[in-house]
Amino acid sequence: MQFEINKLTELGITQGEADRLTADVLDIISTSLCLGDSVAIPGFGRFSSEKENEYIGKDLTTGKTYLFPPHIGVKFTPSGMLKKGAAQ
Amino acid sequence: MNKLHTLDGVSQLLAARTGRDIDFCRQFTSALFGEISQQLGNSKHVSLENFGEFFIDSEGSVTFHPAEALSSHVNEPFSIFEPLELDSSITEAMLAEGTETPAESVEELPSQSVEEAPASQPQAAAAQSEAAAENAAPVVVVTAPEVVEQPAETPVYEVEQPKAETPEGNSEPTQVDTPAEEGVESQTQAPELDQTESSAVSQEETPVKTERKHDRVTLAERPQVVGPKITYDTEDDIFDDESASHGGWLKFFVGLILGLILGALGAYTAMLYL
């Protein structure tokens, strides 16, 4: 993980165990998103996957027009608490 | 599909995966995202490897950019599709028109062979299609009235039967009714079959048969009318007795008259020879 895990080690686990558990949590979330499920974390936000239909777009650099296929994207909706913390 | 996993659900999945206590997994998960939100508030940027990055933009809103690994993993069902480069001749106006572009391409083809016809040809084609639809629709409508006309024949058939019944009922009701009615049926059935055979539709024959059954039902109702026939029978018996008595009197008078005539003739001849 690229951010410092301070409080996680306070739970009585080592840094390596905290990294493995963090990877497991994120893997659980990504697996749920692949299955079309949503994951809501209280006080943080909600991860969900949504399908976008095909659309015609233009590459601004080359000026070419492309037909982009439908795809499933990841959507994150921050919670009110996170928004409030970010605004401060 | 479309399930919502909460903190408890994630904790249970984490406990099942790692073999740790659920309460510990719940505490760890909540502490993890609490740490992320705290560091996001401090540095306004948190990057999670193979997952994504959280940003706080200048407006203070939190955004999330998934990592390429997560995006490709989630988009795996549509990973076979790739962006398709369109023809350079396609302009933005044609894209804005959308479905009208194929119509224009169709119109261009006849314009090469026919002068100024593309505007009228689609209308003519549409008119032909509408005319074909109209021609097809009446066929369905025509068949329906044919079925409707069949029941119209039945009232005529039912009306004819009472006509055959009334004169016969005057003469001798009990003996003559049933054969006369059968004869009426055979007479009325034959023209109906001829009329239906002109259309040569076998399906029309079956309703006629059912109608006959229906008529037979109406005939079965006649015993209510025949009920008086029982009285007629008794009256007939009475009439028979009266007719027998009248016949007896007639025979008596005829015999008497004949006897008188013969006696007069015998007396006349006797007077001539004597």
Side-chain angles (χ1 to χ4, degrees):
Chain A
M1 296 297 102
Q2 296 180 359
F3 66 96
E4 296 177 356
I5 303 174
N6 299 323
K7 292 183 180 179
L8 299 181
T9 55
E10 295 176 357
L11 295 173
I13 58 174
T14 62
Q15 186 68 35
E17 290 175 343
D19 291 340
R20 283 194 294 272
L21 287 171
T22 302
D24 289 335
V25 170
L26 298 179
D27 187 56
I28 289 169
I29 294 172
S30 62
T31 303
S32 299
L33 294 174
C34 290
L35 296 175
D37 298 338
S38 300
V39 178
I41 305 297
F44 186 76
R46 176 173 177 165
F47 296 94
S48 60
S49 59
E50 63 179 5
K51 179 179 175 293
E52 294 181 2
N53 294 326
E54 60 184 1
Y55 64 98
I56 297 173
K58 197 170 187 179
D59 191 355
L60 297 176
T61 57
T62 60
K64 294 181 180 179
T65 305
Y66 291 93
L67 176 64
F68 293 96
H71 71 282
I72 300 174
V74 179
K75 182 182 178 183
F76 173 70
T77 305
S79 66
M81 188 180 297
L82 185 62
K83 288 180 181 177
K84 192 178 294 182
Q88 293 175 357
Chain B
M1 289 292 289
N2 297 326
K3 290 182 180 178
L4 177 62
H5 297 283
T6 58
L7 181 61
D8 292 335
V10 176
S11 301
Q12 289 177 0
L13 292 173
L14 183 62
R17 178 177 290 194
T18 60
R20 292 178 180 271
D21 189 15
I22 295 176
D23 293 334
F24 171 80
C25 293
R26 186 181 296 109
Q27 290 177 0
F28 177 82
T29 306
S30 61
L32 171 64
F33 287 100
E35 185 72 15
I36 292 171
S37 60
Q38 183 177 358
Q39 292 198 16
L40 184 62
N42 294 333
S43 61
K44 296 186 178 181
H45 176 263
V46 174
S47 178
L48 300 173
E49 187 179 0
N50 293 328
F51 190 76
E53 296 179 357
F54 294 95
F55 293 97
I56 297 177
D57 56 10
S58 58
E59 297 178 353
S61 60
V62 179
T63 57
F64 173 71
H65 293 286
E68 184 63 26
L70 178 61
S71 296
S72 61
H73 192 40
V74 171
N75 193 37
E76 192 171 1
F78 294 101
S79 60
I80 57 174
F81 298 109
E82 293 180 355
L84 178 65
E85 183 179 354
L86 299 177
D87 190 6
S88 59
S89 62
I90 298 174
T91 61
E92 292 181 357
M94 296 170 67
L95 294 175
E97 291 177 355
T99 57
E100 295 179 359
T101 52
E104 291 178 355
S105 62
V106 171
E107 290 178 357
E108 289 174 356
L109 293 174
S111 65
Q112 295 175 356
S113 58
V114 180
E115 292 180 357
E116 297 179 357
S120 61
Q121 283 183 351
Q123 295 176 355
Q128 290 177 355
S129 62
E130 291 177 356
E134 290 177 356
N135 291 329
V139 170
V140 178
V141 172
V142 167
T143 55
E146 288 178 356
V147 176
V148 173
E149 287 175 355
Q150 293 174 355
E153 296 175 354
T154 56
V156 175
Y157 177 67
E158 290 177 354
V159 169
E160 290 176 352
Q161 290 175 351
K163 292 179 180 177
E165 186 182 9
T166 50
E168 293 171 355
N170 292 328
S171 61
E172 289 181 359
T174 56
Q175 296 178 355
V176 184
D177 274 340
T178 51
E181 289 171 356
E182 290 176 355
V184 170
E185 287 179 356
S186 62
Q187 290 176 358
T188 54
Q189 288 171 4
E192 285 180 356
L193 291 173
D194 292 335
Q195 292 175 358
T196 54
E197 286 175 359
S198 63
S199 61
V201 179
S202 62
Q203 295 177 351
E204 294 178 355
E205 294 177 355
T206 54
V208 171
K209 291 179 181 177
T210 55
E211 291 167 359
R212 290 172 187 169
K213 291 179 181 178
H214 179 67
D215 294 333
R216 287 177 183 173
V217 172
T218 58
L219 290 173
E221 295 173 355
R222 292 180 184 173
Q224 295 177 354
V225 179
V226 172
K229 292 177 183 175
I230 296 170
T231 60
Y232 281 120
D233 290 336
T234 57
E235 290 176 356
D236 289 337
D237 294 336
I238 294 168
F239 287 127
D240 289 337
D241 293 336
E242 291 177 352
S243 63
S245 61
H246 289 296
W249 284 103
L250 288 174
K251 289 177 182 178
F252 175 75
F253 284 115
V254 169
L256 181 61
I257 291 167
L258 287 174
L260 290 173
I261 292 170
L262 289 174
L265 288 174
Y268 179 71
T269 54
M271 288 174 69
L272 289 176
Y273 288 108
L274 291 176

